[in-house]
Amino acid sequence: MEEIKGLRKYELPPLPYKIDALEPYISKDIVDVHYNGHHKGYVNTANTLIDRLNGIINEEVKSYDIHGVLRNLTFNINGDKLHTLYWKDMAPEGKGGDKPGGKLGDLIEQQYGSYEKFKKIFTEAANSNPGTGWAVLTYDKENSNLNVMTVENHFMNHLAEMPIVLILDEFEHAYYLQYKNKRADYVGAWWNIVNWDEANKKLDGLLE
Ligand code: MN
């Protein structure tokens, strides 16, 4: 095995379906710009920053702003990870949408009363999220709670110990080409392509 010198680079994970697979709910053009532009950009920038950080660690770089480097690195690494979750949490029509079954379906009914009530709360959370961010469903193992939460920007320090089960990207780049300023229409359309099998798989992994 090759000797590791410094922190390792990130790689853009493959899109789990064809670029037009989410139509008509999310257009091919949006997925193209979002994946090949934004997501790839986060990975590339993270790698540039890792080069710089490795230079700092190896004392090749003498003058630097550590706060700036690490803040940007946090933003870009999280950008990669959040988008990787987001792509997997959607599936083409026919495979996605409908209601969650399995343990996730049971827990949602137990804690939110019904899937419809959960959907209403998540939608309201998403629609009330100011500016750029994410709506997420997290699982807190300590008390077995499924928490609907909103995340600002890419920074999610407040989600400590609460892995994401389901995620919705609310940055303008996720919907503007198709939905313009009608973000609520994008949120409404997204429910048709939610990949509940993937969300259930994540929850199962956390229940083990
Ligand atoms: Mn995005």
Side-chain angles (χ1 to χ4, degrees):
M1 195 176 160
E2 197 186 336
E3 194 189 346
I4 300 161
K5 289 175 184 163
L7 297 169
R8 293 191 193 187
K9 301 287 186 72
Y10 288 85
E11 272 180 42
L12 182 69
L15 197 65
Y17 31 71
K18 288 189 178 157
I19 209 139
D20 61 355
L22 303 178
E23 291 197 344
Y25 305 104
I26 300 179
S27 72
K28 178 185 170 183
D29 286 350
I30 287 184
V31 176
D32 187 17
V33 170
H34 199 171
Y35 175 73
N36 290 311
H38 294 272
H39 189 171
K40 189 189 271 182
Y42 298 131
V43 173
N44 290 345
T45 307
N47 287 336
T48 302
L49 289 159
I50 283 174
D51 274 340
R52 182 152 179 85
L53 188 56
N54 285 340
I56 294 168
I57 292 167
N58 295 327
E59 298 179 0
E60 293 155 7
V61 175
K62 304 289 184 192
S63 175
Y64 52 84
D65 163 19
I66 196 70
H67 177 74
V69 170
L70 296 180
R71 187 172 172 81
N72 282 337
L73 191 58
T74 305
F75 178 85
N76 285 286
I77 291 174
N78 270 338
D80 173 34
K81 295 194 177 295
L82 291 163
H83 283 89
T84 300
L85 291 170
Y86 172 68
W87 298 125
K88 283 186 178 175
D89 280 354
M90 295 184 288
E93 193 175 19
K95 291 183 181 169
D98 203 7
K99 287 180 180 185
K103 288 175 187 162
L104 180 58
D106 292 345
L107 200 52
I108 283 175
E109 281 200 15
Q110 191 191 323
Q111 297 186 335
Y112 288 84
S114 68
Y115 169 68
E116 284 69 27
K117 284 184 186 172
F118 159 77
K119 187 175 170 181
K120 183 168 176 279
I121 296 286
F122 192 100
T123 299
E124 285 175 0
N127 290 341
S128 69
N129 201 359
T132 48
W134 309 74
V136 295
L137 180 66
T138 67
Y139 181 69
D140 187 347
K141 208 167 185 172
E142 190 182 346
N143 53 14
S144 306
N145 272 353
L146 284 170
N147 299 315
V148 174
M149 306 178 98
T150 54
V151 175
E152 288 179 25
N153 216 321
H154 286 189
F155 298 103
M156 38 189 317
N157 303 344
H158 62 294
L159 298 186
E161 300 293 329
M162 285 181 281
I164 292 171
V165 173
L166 183 68
I167 187 163
L168 169 62
D169 190 341
E170 299 202 81
F171 279 60
E172 285 187 350
H173 66 228
Y175 62 88
Y176 218 85
L177 278 176
Q178 188 174 1
Y179 293 95
K180 304 293 189 292
N181 59 336
K182 309 273 191 244
R183 188 176 70 174
D185 291 352
Y186 156 70
V187 173
W190 172 78
W191 290 105
N192 293 294
I193 43 173
V194 171
N195 187 345
W196 290 115
D197 288 344
E198 175 67 19
N200 248 309
K201 205 166 78 183
K202 274 184 278 181
L203 182 64
D204 282 345
L206 297 169
L207 294 174
E208 278 167 7

